[in-house]
Amino acid sequence: MGMDKKMPTIVQASGNIPILPSDREDRFPVLPLQTGVLFPGTMITLQIGRSDNLELIRHCLDGKRELIASYSDSYPSDNNGGSIHQVGVVAVVRDSRDGQAGSLVVTLEGLQRVAIQKILQQKPYLVAVVNYLQTPPSVSRKLNEKVEAVISVAREVTKLDPGYSPEVLNVLQMNQNDPSQLADKAASLFHFYLSSKQKLLDAVDLKKRYERLLSYLNAELNRIALARNIEENVKTSIEEEQRHHFLKQQLFEIRRQLGEDLSEEREAARFRQIIKNSPNLPSEVIARATIETDRLSQLSSASAEYGVTKSYLDWILTLPWGKFSPENYEITDVARILEENYYGPSNIRKQVLERLSVRKLLGGANEAPTLCLIGAPGTGKASLAKAIARALGKEFIRISVGGISDVAEIKGSPRTFLGAMPGKIIRSLRDAGTCDPVVLIEDIDYFNMDNDSSVNMALLEVIDSRWNKRFLDKYLGIPFDFNRIQFICSVRSFEEIPEQFIPRFEIIELPGYIEREKIIISKKFLIPKLLKQHGLLKSEVRISDKVLTKIITDYTMEAGLLGFSQQIEKICRKVALAKSEKSKKSWSINERNIEVYLGQPVYIREHAVSSPEIGTAAGLAWTGAGGDLMFIEGLKMKGEGHIITTGSLGDVMKESIQAAHSYVRSKADVLGIDSNDFNQFDIHIHFPSGAIPKDGPSAGVTVCLVIASVMAERPIRNDIAVTGEVTLRGRVLQVGGIKEKISAAYRAGINHVALPKENERDTKELPKDILRKTKFTYIERADELFEICLLDFMPSSFTLEKIFAEEIEKAKKHKPRTVRKSATKKSQTSKKKR
């Protein structure tokens, strides 16, 4: 069953309404009006199309009956009861004729005000109970003054606005003796809002009605006066422009007759044509370019300002405003392209892929912190950035900010300065021709060496997504949107990043490459590119893996591929020379002839010592050049228990040596060392390659081993390498660079490595051949290392004697007789052994 239709709401009039008392209940059909308000003594013509209203009109026509016309700002419907205003007008239908689509065009005449009390029915049309209202009081002198004021304002309105007929004033003057009728006529004839007209209908009291009428008439007069003023200003402006154009044409003709050069006009016309043919220009750019073009046409080509203005227009009209490439790439394709063009850890590619997925979902906008790649030279920072650009289908821009120490280099200089131009980023965008390239900003570590915070903040405005949506270049003076640019920064190490940039960077550390990885990258990417650059074919030059290994170990010492690439270039240049001389058709580079191309080896690789030695341990170091094998040496000598360190050591490493010494001293009994030896002997710890500064805690456990070996006079195994940080209580802590360190041990021929237990998961990223040939021992405490690395390790006789003495003391307290015999036997046995 359908729901009952909701009754319309009666909008009550403001203030008291003078209702005539009556014993009878007057019922009238109600016609809601939406396009006008009917007043007593006026007529209104309407087109009726709704079925219920058509039924009402036919009902009134048949019996010559009256109806109530009431304004409705929310028309009653099936779903909504709507609303009608309380004060309406008794009306009669004076004329009716057929309209389009079955509608009726009717003319209603208003008779007198009534107040709707309640709605009785909605079907077939609205029927309501109404009350008649009392007649307004007689005319007073104050009311006559207001009548005069209404006629005076109406005279001004009809005079200023040609939209009003002159007859309006005549109609008002004819009703001057009837203030009520005059107010209703004025309300009907003037163009007030319908809500304002309803308020005039609600005002039964003449004083209140005239106050509202004068207010609305004055507002109408002000509107007309303002429109008239605007019209006159526009007319004056048009006339001035026509006069200006006429004078310009005369001047142009005079100059043409004199044979003067008209290059200014030609340049201005060219710029206007560019503005017209550039649909992507923002409104700010169009406005500024139009102003500058008009100025250019007025300047002489010989003036300095002409050149400055022309250069400015060239810049703002050749920038790629609104030129974006579509973000229609598929993430699976992006992942494939990254894997094809960048060789490195999979977690780095995954992190980049996550960022690009967010960019795609945001439609190309960048809201995340700026990507910062950290790695030694040659570790693939630029290659990764190029791979990102290729995967996104974007232009790639490479910018170096090294040496920049002036804000003008970043944000441009005001165009009033001599030689002014935009900043470096804007200049690069014009060359690229697009607003959303991938921009690699390199050499952040050499940026702003004077450490001027304003220069740092200027670059931060460029790359930070919080501020770069409306980046303001001082030369342009117009905001430019950098938010769709994929900025990527690169730096050698975290410590060299300026302080202001760190919170706004998302750091990705690119580790150095081990020997095996370098060989794979060289065969897949490096050698084919270098052969092409030197005009050589792949079939003409053959370089074996053994040669590549020799170049890596004997001619370079680096974490990346920069020096390795330079050595391959040397080979390519010599082959290119030989090819130009046409000496032969192919060249094979092998271990026998490599020195012909590269000369004598530059570096001598570290090898394991031939036999175990006291005070010499193989430690593993992680440097800027990658992993390295470091033999730490120690010896003891008569002294006062001092520790001497050499080898250009940093504070952290010195503290680590002190902690290792204290731990070994605390374990003297276990190691079989007389505790007095630590006061009678000095210990000298030396790290080789003294010219190279060294620091860090990862050699702590190796130093422990060296000190224990020296003091216990036990040799250390020569087939094991060690790394790890040691605490004062002997715990071995996690260290970094495991992949590089193990690769260095493998390269030196050491196939057994002792690592902290916490670094066990890091070994899973190693190449399979290293994993297959290397044995790993995971340690949690330094004393475990003593048992593994110190040969002939066993408690000394001094330690045994002390242990027996302690046992005897304990036995005396608990079982004196039994223990005394046992203790005596042990003591005799101990004496015999000694």
Side-chain angles (χ1 to χ4, degrees):
M1 294 179 64
M3 295 178 64
D4 294 337
K5 191 173 180 181
K6 190 176 180 181
M7 287 292 186
T9 303
I10 299 175
V11 181
Q12 301 293 324
S14 59
N16 296 324
I17 300 176
I19 298 174
L20 282 174
S22 175
D23 295 334
R24 63 177 185 173
E25 193 177 68
D26 296 314
R27 301 185 179 187
F28 287 91
V30 179
L31 177 64
L33 304 181
Q34 282 195 297
T35 58
V37 178
L38 182 62
F39 288 87
T42 64
M43 290 190 180
I44 188 171
T45 301
L46 306 167
Q47 186 171 7
I48 309 297
R50 289 175 60 93
S51 58
D52 51 351
N53 292 340
L54 289 172
E55 184 70 23
L56 186 152
I57 295 298
R58 293 191 183 98
H59 169 75
C60 293
L61 285 174
D62 293 343
K64 304 293 185 183
R65 296 175 182 172
E66 297 174 340
L67 57 89
I68 303 299
S70 176
Y71 173 62
S72 171
D73 48 15
S74 177
Y75 201 87
S77 63
D78 293 336
N79 299 325
N80 180 19
S83 64
I84 58 174
H85 281 264
Q86 181 184 15
V87 179
V89 176
V90 178
V92 293
V93 181
R94 294 301 184 193
D95 184 43
S96 174
R97 61 183 182 275
D98 293 335
Q100 295 180 352
S103 63
L104 288 176
V105 179
V106 299
T107 300
L108 303 179
E109 181 183 2
L111 301 179
Q112 67 180 88
R113 286 174 170 82
V114 292
I116 300 174
Q117 295 304 315
K118 63 179 179 179
I119 306 297
L120 296 178
Q121 67 180 45
Q122 275 190 292
K123 295 295 186 179
Y125 44 77
L126 287 177
V127 176
V129 175
V130 302
N131 294 112
Y132 290 95
L133 305 180
Q134 294 179 2
T135 306
S138 58
V139 179
S140 64
R141 191 180 69 177
K142 290 185 177 180
L143 192 60
N144 286 334
E145 292 176 358
K146 291 184 178 180
V147 169
E148 291 293 337
V150 166
I151 292 175
S152 176
V153 176
R155 183 180 291 109
E156 292 295 325
V157 171
T158 55
K159 181 180 177 181
L160 291 176
D161 191 352
Y164 289 108
S165 171
E167 292 298 321
V168 172
L169 186 60
N170 295 335
V171 170
L172 296 181
Q173 289 174 342
M174 289 171 60
N175 292 278
Q176 192 168 355
N177 295 328
D178 188 350
S180 179
Q181 187 69 20
L182 184 144
D184 290 342
K185 290 283 187 182
S188 177
L189 292 171
F190 284 100
H191 305 158
F192 301 147
Y193 292 111
L194 294 181
S195 59
S196 300
K197 289 190 175 187
Q198 180 60 41
K199 289 181 181 179
L200 290 172
L201 186 64
D202 291 344
V204 180
D205 181 62
L206 286 178
K207 181 182 178 182
K208 186 180 293 185
R209 196 186 312 173
Y210 269 88
E211 287 176 356
R212 293 180 181 178
L213 180 59
L214 279 171
S215 174
Y216 298 149
L217 279 172
N218 285 322
E220 179 71 3
L221 180 61
N222 291 336
R223 182 192 66 80
I224 295 170
L226 179 61
R228 187 74 176 270
N229 187 38
I230 292 172
E231 183 180 354
E232 289 178 357
N233 290 341
V234 171
K235 184 178 179 181
T236 303
S237 177
I238 292 174
E239 290 176 354
E240 184 65 27
E241 287 183 6
Q242 289 176 344
R243 176 176 172 275
H244 184 70
H245 178 71
F246 177 72
L247 292 174
K248 281 184 65 177
Q249 288 298 114
Q250 282 187 328
L251 180 62
F252 177 80
E253 184 61 26
I254 291 170
R255 292 176 64 185
R256 191 182 67 82
Q257 292 290 344
L258 292 174
E260 293 184 2
D261 184 19
L262 301 175
S263 59
E264 301 91 341
E265 286 294 336
R266 286 197 296 270
E267 283 298 315
R270 181 174 70 85
F271 285 126
R272 289 191 184 98
Q273 190 64 31
I274 293 174
I275 295 170
K276 183 179 179 181
N277 295 335
S278 302
N280 295 327
L281 289 180
S283 58
E284 294 171 294
V285 178
I286 294 174
R288 178 63 63 84
T290 303
I291 293 171
E292 296 298 329
T293 302
D294 292 340
R295 289 184 66 252
L296 185 70
S297 64
Q298 304 299 317
L299 297 172
S300 171
S301 59
S303 67
E305 192 175 356
Y306 177 85
V308 172
T309 304
K310 181 177 179 295
S311 176
Y312 178 75
L313 285 169
D314 281 330
W315 270 108
I316 66 171
L317 294 179
T318 53
L319 287 174
W321 302 96
K323 293 182 180 179
F324 305 109
S325 54
E327 302 285 335
N328 55 3
Y329 47 84
E330 295 294 334
I331 293 301
T332 53
D333 295 334
V334 172
R336 177 180 54 79
I337 294 172
L338 287 177
E339 189 169 357
E340 290 175 355
N341 292 270
Y342 172 71
Y343 186 87
S346 58
N347 63 319
I348 292 179
R349 291 196 298 272
K350 184 178 180 181
Q351 189 172 349
V352 171
L353 202 62
E354 290 169 355
R355 285 180 59 95
L356 299 184
S357 301
V358 174
R359 177 187 174 94
K360 180 176 175 62
L361 294 176
L362 293 177
N366 288 311
E367 302 296 338
T370 305
L371 195 63
C372 181
L373 307 179
I374 297 179
T379 51
K381 299 185 293 293
S383 298
L384 180 57
K386 286 180 182 178
I388 292 172
R390 183 176 178 185
L392 296 179
K394 309 287 185 184
E395 292 290 331
F396 179 67
I397 300 176
R398 198 168 178 176
I399 299 175
S400 173
V401 294
I404 290 180
S405 58
D406 188 5
V407 174
E409 282 290 318
I410 305 296
K411 301 187 68 175
S413 52
R415 58 192 178 106
T416 53
F417 290 8
L418 183 64
M421 64 172 59
K424 201 163 191 173
I425 310 299
I426 292 289
R427 298 200 301 267
S428 301
L429 288 182
R430 187 177 76 163
D431 297 338
T434 178
C435 279
D436 59 346
V438 174
V439 178
L440 175 63
I441 300 179
E442 297 183 294
D443 302 323
I444 296 287
D445 35 357
Y446 296 110
F447 172 71
N448 187 22
M449 300 299 288
D450 298 334
N451 200 23
D452 184 352
S453 59
S454 62
V455 182
N456 288 341
M457 293 307 297
L459 183 58
L460 198 60
E461 283 185 44
V462 172
I463 63 177
D464 195 339
S465 59
R466 298 175 299 174
W467 301 328
N468 64 9
K469 292 179 182 178
R470 289 181 63 83
F471 173 76
L472 186 64
D473 186 277
K474 291 182 179 179
Y475 181 82
L476 299 181
I478 304 171
F480 200 98
D481 186 5
F482 283 173
N483 189 247
R484 296 173 70 93
I485 300 175
Q486 180 68 56
F487 285 107
I488 302 173
C489 297
S490 69
V491 68
R492 291 181 304 174
S493 65
F494 181 83
E495 292 75 15
E496 294 175 333
I497 301 176
E499 182 181 355
Q500 293 92 335
F501 292 78
I502 294 175
R504 298 306 303 167
F505 274 169
E506 179 181 346
I507 304 297
I508 295 182
E509 292 194 25
L510 276 62
Y513 295 115
I514 62 175
E515 178 184 309
R516 185 63 184 163
E517 291 173 334
K518 289 181 179 181
I519 293 173
I520 293 173
I521 294 171
S522 65
K523 293 171 70 176
K524 187 177 180 181
F525 302 106
L526 193 58
I527 293 177
K529 182 183 76 171
L530 293 177
L531 291 177
K532 184 178 179 180
Q533 289 178 355
H534 290 80
L536 302 173
L537 300 177
K538 190 175 181 180
S539 59
E540 295 175 335
V541 182
R542 293 188 298 275
I543 305 177
S544 65
D545 288 1
K546 291 184 178 180
V547 171
L548 295 176
T549 303
K550 187 174 179 63
I551 294 172
I552 293 169
T553 56
D554 295 355
Y555 293 90
T556 64
M557 184 180 288
E558 58 180 353
L561 294 163
L562 193 59
F564 181 55
S565 174
Q566 293 171 353
Q567 298 300 325
I568 301 294
E569 285 181 9
K570 287 183 182 179
I571 296 174
C572 290
R573 285 195 294 271
K574 291 186 182 295
V575 172
L577 176 61
K579 183 178 179 180
S580 300
E581 294 172 350
K582 300 181 179 179
S583 58
K584 55 182 179 177
K585 294 184 179 180
S586 64
W587 292 262
S588 177
I589 316 300
N590 51 49
E591 293 179 282
R592 294 189 303 274
N593 62 8
I594 184 64
E595 294 186 7
V596 175
Y597 293 92
L598 298 180
Q600 292 293 325
V602 180
Y603 302 100
I604 300 174
R605 71 175 77 179
E606 294 281 2
H607 294 282
V609 294
S610 57
S611 60
E613 296 180 6
I614 295 175
T616 301
L620 296 173
W622 182 31
T623 66
D628 196 13
L629 190 67
M630 183 178 295
F631 290 98
I632 301 174
E633 301 171 343
L635 55 82
K636 70 176 182 179
M637 48 198 172
K638 284 289 185 179
E640 299 178 354
H642 298 302
I643 301 175
I644 303 169
T645 58
T646 53
S648 187
L649 308 183
D651 292 339
V652 175
M653 187 168 280
K654 290 178 180 178
E655 291 175 0
S656 180
I657 293 172
Q658 187 64 54
H661 177 265
S662 299
Y663 174 72
V664 174
R665 188 169 184 174
S666 70
K667 295 293 181 180
D669 296 342
V670 177
L671 292 167
I673 304 171
D674 188 346
S675 59
N676 294 323
D677 289 353
F678 286 96
N679 297 323
Q680 298 171 1
F681 291 93
D682 291 340
I683 300 175
H684 186 166
I685 304 296
H686 176 67
F687 288 73
S689 302
I692 302 174
K694 308 170 191 68
D695 205 358
S698 63
V701 71
T702 315
V703 173
C704 265
L705 193 59
V706 171
I707 295 174
S709 170
V710 167
M711 297 304 294
E713 297 183 353
R714 303 288 181 189
I716 301 172
R717 289 174 55 182
N718 63 321
D719 60 345
I720 186 169
V722 184
T723 185
E725 178 183 358
V726 68
T727 68
L728 198 60
R729 294 187 175 274
R731 288 184 59 242
V732 181
L733 304 181
Q734 182 181 10
V735 293
I738 292 298
K739 183 176 72 170
E740 291 82 359
K741 291 176 178 179
I742 295 175
S743 177
Y746 177 78
R747 191 168 58 243
I750 297 177
N751 297 323
H752 189 178
V753 179
L755 301 171
K757 179 68 174 178
E758 295 177 359
N759 284 116
E760 184 176 358
R761 64 179 182 277
D762 296 329
T763 59
K764 296 177 182 179
E765 299 179 1
L766 291 167
K768 293 181 179 178
D769 54 342
I770 295 180
L771 288 173
R772 188 171 57 251
K773 297 179 181 179
T774 304
K775 177 184 178 182
F776 298 107
T777 299
Y778 302 106
I779 54 177
E780 294 182 301
R781 299 191 57 81
D783 45 9
E784 298 174 23
L785 196 63
F786 300 153
E787 299 176 10
I788 298 170
C789 297
L790 293 179
L791 296 178
D792 302 327
F793 174 70
M794 59 177 291
S796 65
S797 58
F798 174 81
T799 306
L800 286 173
E801 188 174 295
K802 186 175 181 180
I803 292 172
F804 292 152
E806 290 176 353
E807 290 294 329
I808 291 170
E809 289 298 323
K810 291 179 182 178
K812 286 180 180 179
K813 294 179 181 179
H814 300 288
K815 297 180 180 180
R817 295 177 181 176
T818 307
V819 175
R820 188 175 293 113
K821 292 180 181 179
S822 176
T824 304
K825 290 180 180 179
K826 288 182 180 178
S827 176
Q828 292 173 354
T829 304
S830 175
K831 289 179 180 178
K832 288 179 181 180
K833 285 183 178 180
R834 280 189 284 180

